[in-house]
Amino acid sequence: MTGRDWNERSVAMGEFVYPYYFGAGCLERITSAMAGYDTDQFVVVTDDHVLALHGEAFLSGLRRHAPVQVLSLPPGDAMKSVLHLNSHLEKAIGAGATRRSVVVAFGGGVVGNLAGLTAATLYRGIRLVHVPTTTIAAMDSVLSLKQTVNSGHGKNHIGTYHAPEAVYLDVDLLRTLDDKQLRSGLCEAAKNCLAIRPEALPVLRTRLAGGNLSSPDVLLWLLEESLTAKSSVTGDDAREQRSGLVLEYGHTVGHAVEMEDRRRRGTDGLSHGEAVMLGMLAAARISRGIGGLDDRAVAEHDELAHHLGVSPKLPDAVTPEAVMDVVRVDNKRGYLPVSGEEAAMVLLRELGHPYGSRDLPLTAVSLEAVKDVVTDMVRVPEPWHGSGAS
């Protein structure tokens, strides 16, 4: 087979190393490879949309090797709850899952998080395999040991760490994504370039400007770039609590906007990647306001957002006050001592160079400065030429 059909890379997370197999048109090879797990049951965690699109081809391949139990829910961030986690655990145990069983995450980032926490907590930890079907999962969330669900207060407050046995990707699965979901993962790729590998920005701009973002060649390049960027900061930081925190760029405001928008508009709200891109636009302006990024670097953020189709305006259903309520309980609290009027954020001093140190790329930012920028996002025209924090 050609390199376009089947490739292998190692993902190193501290002492954990797992293989990532990827190619185009390789779904049958993926299910054949999973026969090697000698399992008594595959527990497939997915969502109803993925199940309808790809379930028949994938599940029929798995069933040739072992019984399959399917745990599926309506798609959306609402899947990531303690209630649904408990339901999945009870159903898996009731259907005969054992310590020999393998949990298979078949879907996007939300599915992967719920499946990962299911695997991590079932019998205190059983095997996990990722088969991502979205760009956000393939290029970001599967490249992590973090398994998590949301609390009623904010995103990703409840979880643990659990390493997968492997990741398997057929990029042809990504070609069925709608434009919104396709670009969601590309926003995370843009984050990696801005925060970690600015030398890749010229190629990224060319790829984005060239269109046809769902072509296998473009997707495989983006995947390789994501693997390179993430491994450079997680190789010695399996839990992403030191150098890996740079991957949280754009997430403080982004997570808050995403959560509040989804509360109001459900699945019609911003995708995770779109919200993170919006969070990066805010972070760039906050940095400029404290003497960090210059106008050219801020414009680089704006240009990428434009190519990715992300509006710089806060969604109409979301208020600055609601965003700030979530920012105050951001899950990075505790890494850096801050006052009650500050938030610990990843901000760039210049592209590829965050404030703080490599081992703690965080800086304290006044909540007032954050709110000023978020408030500007309510009334910003397009394209955004706002002045940012002052």
Side-chain angles (χ1 to χ4, degrees):
M1 302 182 80
T2 67
R4 192 168 178 264
D5 297 322
W6 193 253
N7 306 268
E8 179 182 354
R9 286 278 300 268
S10 290
V11 179
M13 299 273 175
E15 69 271 28
F16 299 98
V17 180
Y18 55 93
Y20 194 133
Y21 302 98
F22 58 96
C26 57
L27 190 61
E28 184 176 350
R29 179 160 183 172
I30 288 171
T31 55
S32 295
M34 291 172 65
Y37 290 116
D38 186 29
T39 180
D40 58 3
Q41 182 180 131
F42 290 111
V43 180
V44 177
V45 178
T46 187
D47 67 45
D48 297 347
H49 179 68
V50 171
L51 194 60
L53 277 177
H54 308 297
E56 183 176 354
F58 180 65
L59 298 176
S60 63
L62 280 188
R63 288 189 177 109
R64 289 196 291 268
H65 310 299
V68 174
Q69 177 189 173
V70 178
L71 302 175
S72 184
L73 291 165
D77 206 52
M79 289 178 67
K80 286 177 56 173
S81 73
V82 174
L83 179 66
H84 289 313
L85 171 65
N86 181 69
S87 175
H88 276 8
L89 291 169
E90 293 289 349
K91 288 177 181 177
I93 295 167
T98 74
R99 288 176 174 83
R100 281 187 56 217
S101 301
V102 175
V103 173
V104 181
F106 184 50
V110 171
V111 165
N113 274 181
L114 181 57
L117 200 49
T118 300
T121 52
L122 188 60
Y123 303 119
R124 296 184 299 277
I126 65 173
R127 290 173 293 174
L128 168 69
V129 169
H130 286 291
V131 183
T133 64
T134 67
T135 50
I136 199 76
M139 299 177 190
D140 185 65
S141 60
V142 303
L143 304 177
S144 176
L145 307 185
K146 296 187 293 186
Q147 317 298 343
T148 184
V149 295
N150 301 330
S151 74
H153 298 280
K155 286 182 66 67
N156 302 334
H157 283 171
I158 301 164
T160 188
Y161 298 88
H162 192 62
E165 296 291 307
V167 179
Y168 298 92
L169 171 67
D170 182 348
V171 295
D172 282 358
L173 296 176
L174 309 183
R175 303 186 73 184
T176 61
L177 295 171
D178 61 28
D179 187 66
K180 177 178 179 177
Q181 290 302 317
L182 176 66
R183 291 176 184 272
S184 180
L186 305 187
C187 290
E188 288 280 6
K191 175 204 70 179
N192 293 338
C193 292
L194 289 166
I196 303 169
R197 284 177 51 79
E199 61 269 27
L201 282 168
V203 179
L204 177 63
R205 282 196 299 269
T206 300
R207 298 283 189 177
L208 294 177
N212 196 20
L213 299 177
S214 64
S215 75
D217 288 340
V218 171
L219 291 170
L220 288 170
W221 178 84
L222 287 165
L223 176 60
E224 290 273 12
E225 183 57 39
S226 297
L227 284 164
T228 298
K230 293 202 76 169
S231 63
S232 71
V233 296
T234 60
D236 297 321
D237 183 18
R239 292 175 174 254
E240 298 175 44
Q241 295 178 335
R242 301 190 309 278
S243 58
L245 283 168
V246 71
L247 296 167
E248 292 286 310
Y249 185 53
H251 283 61
T252 300
V253 171
H255 267 169
V257 173
E258 178 187 8
M259 187 165 189
E260 290 305 311
D261 197 25
R262 291 297 180 97
R263 279 176 174 167
R264 290 158 175 78
R265 295 197 290 162
T267 56
D268 291 332
L270 294 176
S271 70
H272 174 72
E274 289 173 321
V276 168
M277 188 72 242
L278 200 62
M280 288 190 284
L281 295 180
R285 282 158 173 79
I286 294 167
S287 173
R288 183 172 62 183
I290 62 174
L293 293 181
D294 59 20
D295 288 343
R296 176 177 292 185
V298 174
E300 186 88 57
H301 285 68
D302 292 350
E303 181 182 355
L304 287 175
H306 173 73
H307 281 307
L308 288 164
V310 177
S311 167
K313 187 175 184 297
L314 201 68
D316 291 339
V318 178
T319 66
E321 291 74 21
V323 171
M324 293 308 299
D325 284 344
V326 181
V327 166
R328 289 185 179 92
V329 293
D330 180 70
N331 66 358
K332 289 181 290 300
R333 290 183 303 161
Y335 287 123
L336 181 74
V338 296
S339 74
E341 299 304 316
E342 295 175 317
M345 292 185 66
V346 178
L347 294 182
L348 302 182
R349 188 185 303 274
E350 56 185 277
L351 297 181
H353 297 279
Y355 278 94
S357 65
R358 174 176 171 79
D359 282 341
L360 193 63
L362 292 174
T363 189
V365 183
S366 77
L367 292 173
E368 183 179 0
V370 178
K371 186 176 181 180
D372 285 346
V373 168
V374 172
T375 301
D376 282 347
M377 296 164 74
V378 172
R379 53 181 177 267
V380 63
E382 298 184 38
W384 189 10
H385 298 297
S387 60
S390 58

